[in-house]
Amino acid sequence: MDTADATVRPAAPLAFRPATEADVAELVALIESAYRGDSSRAGWTTEADILGGQRTDPEGVAAVVRDENSRMMIVERAGELIACCQLEHRGDHAYFGMFAVRPTLQGGGLGKVILAEAERFAAAEWGATEMHMTVISAREELIAWYERRGYARTGRMIPFPYGDERFGVPRRADLEFELLVKPLG
């Protein structure tokens, strides 16, 4: 086939939906692939150099799915899970976490679209006036990405849960989380 005659097909549209307990195993696999191990190195969000072990587990993801104040948002393209994020309603603000995009799809603008939809949902459905998140302070490139999307560093640090392997096995002694905040609407 002559490539000059080939038609470029646009990517299938994104579909957003709340996760169910049937999605838990696939969500855990996606989150792990985006942050830990060699598979995460295909993307830019890897934490493999600073943390080993697990990023999450089935119990933690299932707890978010079951929590009436939370929503685990699934992002699909052509019926295939490609991304997810956690939203938690905390009164006047929402918390954003467990954000994962399939490593081979990172860097193409998908994250911006998903983050914007999460912000829209939190404001429209919960009346949230701010979005909060915590990011490992050593992840300067990731923090800069969020800053370009309107998030501000607060300087408020939260200790990393050293000794609790549910959050990973630290490869450094200086890990802590920084609270980032963005006004919504």
Side-chain angles (χ1 to χ4, degrees):
M1 180 172 152
D2 185 345
T3 56
D5 295 333
T7 305
V8 175
R9 295 182 191 183
L14 299 178
F16 296 86
R17 68 171 176 86
T20 67
E21 292 211 35
D23 298 309
V24 168
E26 194 174 6
L27 285 166
V28 170
L30 171 66
I31 294 164
E32 292 298 312
S33 76
Y35 290 95
R36 301 291 159 75
D38 287 337
S39 65
S40 69
R41 295 181 194 281
W44 69 274
T45 62
T46 184
E47 295 173 344
D49 293 330
I50 60 173
L51 289 162
Q54 69 180 30
R55 171 68 164 75
T56 191
D57 56 34
E59 295 78 18
V61 173
V64 172
V65 170
R66 287 191 295 264
D67 185 340
E68 65 185 33
N69 291 315
S70 291
R71 171 171 280 195
M72 180 61 84
M73 184 185 299
I74 282 184
V75 184
E76 295 173 319
R77 180 176 278 151
E80 184 179 356
L81 175 64
I82 60 168
C84 68
C85 65
Q86 167 199 8
L87 294 169
E88 185 178 328
H89 187 203
R90 296 182 177 177
D92 64 345
H93 73 273
Y95 178 82
F96 179 81
M98 276 197 238
F99 187 25
V101 174
R102 183 176 297 159
T104 56
L105 298 177
Q106 292 176 15
L110 192 56
K112 289 187 280 192
V113 173
I114 296 164
L115 182 60
E117 174 57 18
E119 293 166 353
R120 186 210 61 77
F121 176 89
E125 300 297 321
W126 293 337
T129 58
E130 289 182 335
M131 186 74 86
H132 291 198
M133 70 175 69
T134 54
V135 179
I136 294 173
S137 61
R139 304 282 322 277
E140 291 291 338
E141 184 179 3
L142 182 58
I143 290 171
W145 187 87
Y146 284 118
E147 287 179 309
R148 290 191 299 274
R149 276 131 202 98
Y151 286 82
R153 298 181 84 155
T154 65
R156 181 172 161 210
M157 300 302 194
I158 299 145
F160 186 85
Y162 283 93
D164 187 343
E165 291 190 5
R166 291 177 304 162
F167 299 96
V169 178
R171 299 179 196 263
R172 298 170 47 164
D174 65 341
L175 299 180
E176 60 187 349
F177 295 100
E178 183 171 2
L179 175 66
L180 305 182
V181 176
K182 178 181 180 178
L184 300 177

